[in-house]
Amino acid sequence: MAAPDRIASKGRPPILFPLFAGVETLPGIGPKAAAALEGMAITRPRDLLLTLPTGGVARRSVADLSDLRPPEIVTATVTVTRHVVPTGRGRPHRVICSDGARDLVLVFFHARRDWLERELPVGQRRIVSGKVELFDGVAQIVHPDHILPETEAPPAGFEPVYPLSAGLTQRVLARGAEAALARAPELGEWIDPSLLRREGWPGWRDALQQAHAPQGPADLAASAPARSRLAYDELFAHQITLALARRQNRRGKGRPSRGDDRLRRRVLKALPWPPTGAQSRAVAEIAADMASDGRMNRLLQGDVGAGKTLVAMLALLIAVEAGGQGVMMAPTEILARQHLRALLPLAEAAGVRIEALTGRDKGDARANILADLHAGRIDILVGTHAVFQDEVRFADLRLAVIDEQHRFGVAQRLKLSAKGTTAPPDVLVMTATPIPRSLALSQYGDLDLSVLDEKPPGRKPVTTVMLDDRRLDEIVARVGVAIAGGARAYWVCPLVEESELSDLTAAEARFSALRARFGAAVRLVHGQMPPDERDNAMADFAAGRAQILVATTVIEVGVDVPEASIMVIERAESFGLAQLHQLRGRVGRGQAASSCVLMYQAPLSDTGSRRLQALRDTEDGFRIAEVDLAMRGAGDLIGTAQSGLPRFRIADLERQAGLMQLAQSDARAFLERDPDMSSDRGQAVRALLWLMEQDQAIRLIHTG
């Protein structure tokens, strides 16, 4: 076998065994082809089945050479009349063919004479196919795609084109796919019959046959019935896995936490305006989860400025009202301190004690926090990875809020689960990065979803402009006028230091230039600074002792200085759309009119221009995320290496978001009706999970 099976064969339906043999067991796939296929992650017939054509070649069949319309791709039956052997180095071997009335010349460079004379013997009829062009008024095909005896079937009128790697040809891929299709068994139907009828999808095996034998360009589209069905199969298998994980999470015994609303009422009374409908809805969903016997696993997704902090605080207060404690986790010390500053006034309004614990806390201060936490004298803890340490013990941890969860690993989250005293705490995951619904379902489908799609009334719109960096002096002058009037400004640079490998402006260099112009009004913040220096610079900016903060993207998430009203982003075209949106979200938080300057280096690429224009034209983070997804693709948008985002062979998350939602609702409905997967459809779903190598789902079935 070319590569070991990822899943042990134990438990796999025997009917699927032929699809999981080595790819070299297929006729026509020798050791060299098998090695080349392995480079494309194709090691078994099953992988070939799920590697669909990415294009196609239309071949017009002509009965007479007089019907040729060069340049075009044609298939014709001709008689070989003579070979013109090259007389000099570099000259081609030419084979003259005829239909009895006109000639067609086949041209070969660097081909062996004996092979040509064997494939194209004089006097024999052959089917030839390839691109015909005129050369000195004579029709010719250079290196035909196909040379076949007249007794064989001619190539299809629309021939599929497969993705290739070095050492492979279309013929090898096509024959391999054909052989793999011959091994594809008839399987029970795992798709709901009413859905199958409504969509007009073929059965699984028929869909494979149709997808590998497209009849025209329409059959290559993601919306073609065969391809839609096969994409749905992948998405459905993935969503079954997530639904099983979700069910397993809910089976995990939780601990009901029912609040009496007394602390939350105090906070809401102290707010300058009431919560939005979306905030109220999210809190109600969280409260219902926390009051249940099952363990909460919920994702809170919101745009910049949508008010996630208030929702998180109200959730934490439910835990305190129920007699327990809550913890909020942040990925960086800056963000943890920022959360503490944001939550402190709310905690004071509620009359509860909140503290922070980071890696910087040492000696008596740390010991006192740990002692008070264990004794239950601290109601809410805000922390970084330091909270995972064994000596950090709670009296009664009821809720863990995890901010920017993609920066925390699964093992760390499991450690946090162990912090509960009698049961694992409820978990609320927060992300400040709007994610298109299709990706949210694929990445977080095991979590329940709450979305903040409204903004509190205090948020001001931000005027966004694009300016060429040749207008730098003008921009600096405008910032100078603004800070003379009391404004505060962020100036974001992509790098910390100048680099010979990049011409991107460094934060250090920009800081020096602005410091020379504006003196002590300028501070610098970046991730490589000692934490004390960084915090001091941030504190000076927040307090107004500094009016310009030169920074890297360390300020991207969570930094909250309501008085800041100007955001300058240098070399904006080098940032991702979501990152630009987060940076812009640092302004527009106070009463002053705010602006964001996207400074770019001309000429802008088409992609760079589209990205900046999208940001300029809307402040809707979910709309921006959809544009980002369409431009960059799912893996790049989230960062596939760290996101756990599944890699689909057929499904296209950018263009088939509707299928993902359909798959999720169908998967959950199916498991409600058939929790043990014991029906005929349940057995078919089990076969699908084996086929799609959903390891986690298979383990959950075996343990559940």
Side-chain angles (χ1 to χ4, degrees):
M1 186 176 287
D5 249 345
R6 283 177 50 251
I7 302 179
S9 61
K10 183 181 178 182
R12 182 186 295 142
I15 197 170
L16 293 178
F17 285 176
L19 295 182
F20 286 85
V23 73
E24 71 278 4
T25 62
L26 293 172
I29 305 292
K32 286 184 179 178
L37 286 167
E38 190 170 359
M40 296 174 62
I42 297 173
T43 59
R44 296 148 309 176
R46 171 256 182 209
D47 305 330
L48 267 173
L49 287 182
L50 300 181
T51 302
L52 300 186
T54 53
V57 175
R59 297 183 184 277
R60 191 169 70 91
S61 184
V62 295
D64 301 305
L65 295 180
S66 60
D67 192 27
L68 294 176
R69 298 192 291 269
E72 65 171 338
I73 298 173
V74 300
T75 300
T77 302
V78 293
T79 301
V80 180
T81 58
R82 61 194 174 94
H83 285 242
V84 180
V85 180
T87 55
R89 182 181 293 274
R91 298 177 69 84
H93 187 121
R94 297 160 72 234
V95 181
I96 314 302
C97 304
S98 173
D99 66 353
R102 292 176 181 267
D103 286 348
L104 174 67
V105 180
L106 308 182
V107 180
F108 299 88
F109 290 90
H110 312 300
R112 292 200 339 262
R113 180 176 173 180
D114 60 335
W115 178 85
L116 285 170
E117 290 177 346
R118 188 168 63 251
E119 289 292 312
L120 292 158
V122 173
Q124 295 292 310
R125 287 173 64 77
R126 289 290 183 265
I127 299 170
V128 295
S129 186
K131 186 175 184 180
V132 63
E133 298 176 291
L134 287 180
F135 183 74
D136 288 342
V138 178
Q140 68 173 30
I141 297 177
V142 178
H143 291 281
D145 302 324
H146 297 279
I147 302 170
L148 304 169
E150 193 179 18
T151 53
E152 286 196 23
F158 189 80
E159 189 174 40
V161 173
Y162 289 91
L164 296 177
S165 67
L168 290 172
T169 64
Q170 287 295 332
R171 184 172 296 185
V172 168
L173 255 293
R175 286 182 174 173
E178 187 179 353
L181 281 165
R183 290 192 182 181
E186 291 289 350
L187 297 174
E189 185 54 76
W190 47 76
I191 296 180
D192 182 80
S194 62
L195 175 61
L196 205 64
R197 285 193 301 273
R198 189 186 81 206
E199 298 295 330
W201 288 338
W204 174 70
R205 202 172 185 284
D206 287 344
L208 285 171
Q209 295 277 8
Q210 292 172 29
H212 282 280
Q215 300 302 298
D219 291 342
L220 296 168
S223 57
R227 287 193 173 234
S228 288
R229 188 248 148 82
L230 296 173
Y232 182 82
D233 291 342
E234 276 192 305
L235 299 175
F236 181 60
H238 175 64
Q239 286 298 325
I240 285 284
T241 302
L242 292 177
L244 286 166
R246 183 169 174 262
R247 185 174 74 179
Q248 195 82 348
N249 284 338
R250 290 185 162 189
R251 278 181 178 170
K253 200 62 181 161
R255 188 171 173 204
S257 295
R258 298 182 183 89
D260 56 14
D261 218 27
R262 60 191 164 82
L263 301 179
R264 283 171 284 165
R265 274 200 305 269
R266 293 178 196 168
V267 169
L268 293 175
K269 190 176 178 182
L271 294 176
W273 46 73
T276 64
Q279 287 175 312
S280 298
R281 184 174 65 246
V283 173
E285 290 166 347
I286 291 164
D289 281 359
M290 292 180 68
S292 73
D293 293 336
R295 186 181 175 208
M296 178 174 77
N297 280 277
R298 183 168 286 276
L299 171 68
L300 178 64
Q301 185 184 356
D303 200 354
V304 172
K308 291 179 297 298
T309 301
L310 175 61
V311 173
M313 184 60 177
L314 294 174
L316 290 164
L317 289 176
I318 294 173
V320 180
E321 288 170 355
Q325 297 164 295
V327 62
M328 177 178 266
M329 299 289 302
T332 66
E333 194 165 310
I334 282 185
L335 199 46
R337 299 282 174 191
Q338 183 69 48
H339 278 316
L340 180 65
R341 282 194 291 272
L343 296 177
L344 199 52
L346 302 177
E348 288 172 352
V352 300
R353 183 180 171 192
I354 185 169
E355 296 287 352
L357 182 68
T358 69
R360 286 175 58 196
D361 296 301
K362 308 290 183 191
D364 290 344
R366 176 182 173 82
N368 290 336
I369 289 174
L370 292 178
D372 287 352
L373 189 68
H374 193 208
R377 291 187 289 270
I378 294 174
D379 300 300
I380 297 170
L381 183 70
V382 179
T384 58
H385 299 76
V387 172
F388 295 124
Q389 294 168 356
D390 291 339
E391 65 266 31
V392 180
R393 297 195 298 274
F394 293 81
D396 183 7
L397 179 61
R398 299 289 190 101
L399 174 66
V401 179
I402 301 176
D403 194 19
E404 292 301 300
Q405 78 92 33
H406 62 277
R407 302 191 197 181
F408 288 104
V410 174
Q412 291 172 317
R413 294 202 297 277
L414 288 174
K415 277 188 181 179
L416 194 58
S417 297
K419 296 289 183 183
T421 46
T422 60
D426 288 322
V427 173
L428 178 66
V429 170
M430 297 200 307
T431 175
T433 306
I435 305 170
R437 184 158 180 79
S438 58
L439 294 193
L441 291 177
S442 64
Q443 193 187 14
Y444 302 113
D446 57 325
L447 305 180
D448 295 303
L449 183 63
S450 292
V451 177
L452 298 181
D453 49 11
E454 302 172 53
K455 291 189 180 180
R459 290 292 301 210
K460 301 279 188 185
V462 178
T463 301
T464 304
V465 296
M466 296 166 56
L467 293 176
D468 191 317
D469 62 7
R470 286 172 291 197
R471 297 173 67 180
L472 173 63
D473 291 344
E474 179 187 338
I475 295 167
V476 171
R478 286 190 193 178
V479 169
V481 170
I483 67 169
R488 281 178 236 173
Y490 295 102
W491 192 297
V492 177
C493 301
L495 290 178
V496 177
E497 300 172 330
E498 294 286 3
S499 166
E500 292 180 7
L501 302 177
S502 171
D503 61 352
L504 298 181
T505 305
E508 296 273 12
R510 182 58 59 218
F511 169 70
S512 298
L514 292 175
R515 191 70 181 252
R517 174 78 177 262
F518 299 112
V522 188
R523 297 288 188 278
L524 174 66
V525 170
H526 59 72
Q528 296 175 24
M529 292 171 69
D532 284 342
E533 286 182 32
R534 200 167 55 209
D535 283 357
N536 289 339
M538 292 287 298
D540 285 349
F541 184 66
R545 292 186 292 271
Q547 288 177 277
I548 300 176
L549 186 69
V550 179
T552 56
T553 54
V554 73
I555 65 155
E556 176 186 340
V557 174
V559 174
D560 187 12
V561 180
E563 295 80 8
S565 59
I566 299 170
M567 169 64 69
V568 178
I569 305 175
E570 199 159 347
R571 293 302 299 274
E573 75 276 12
S574 69
F575 293 93
L577 248 179
Q579 202 170 36
L580 289 170
H581 181 60
Q582 290 294 334
L583 289 168
R584 179 173 60 182
R586 299 311 102 208
V587 296
R589 293 169 169 256
Q591 296 304 307
S594 295
S595 59
C596 175
V597 179
L598 304 174
M599 190 162 46
Y600 63 88
Q601 185 179 73
L604 270 177
S605 66
D606 287 344
T607 301
S609 180
R610 282 175 59 202
R611 189 182 301 147
L612 299 190
Q613 285 174 13
L615 195 79
R616 182 191 63 192
D617 294 344
T618 183
E619 286 190 70
D620 182 342
F622 290 94
R623 173 68 194 133
I624 287 168
E626 294 287 355
V627 172
D628 209 11
L629 175 62
M631 289 177 68
R632 291 204 289 152
D636 288 339
L637 189 61
I638 291 182
T640 306
Q642 64 177 7
S643 71
L645 190 70
R647 290 178 173 87
F648 298 116
R649 284 184 181 262
I650 298 171
D652 182 341
L653 290 182
E654 288 98 289
R655 293 167 185 82
Q656 296 177 309
L659 279 185
M660 178 65 89
Q661 295 181 42
L662 197 60
Q664 188 200 53
S665 60
D666 191 25
R668 291 184 176 184
F670 164 72
L671 286 176
E672 284 290 323
R673 291 193 301 269
D674 187 6
D676 298 325
M677 299 171 69
S678 55
S679 64
D680 288 347
R681 187 185 172 199
Q683 295 302 315
V685 171
R686 288 171 183 256
L688 172 68
L689 295 174
W690 281 112
L691 186 65
M692 296 300 174
E693 299 192 306
Q694 292 292 322
D695 311 44
Q696 184 186 0
I698 292 161
R699 284 195 297 270
L700 288 172
I701 294 169
H702 290 165
T703 60

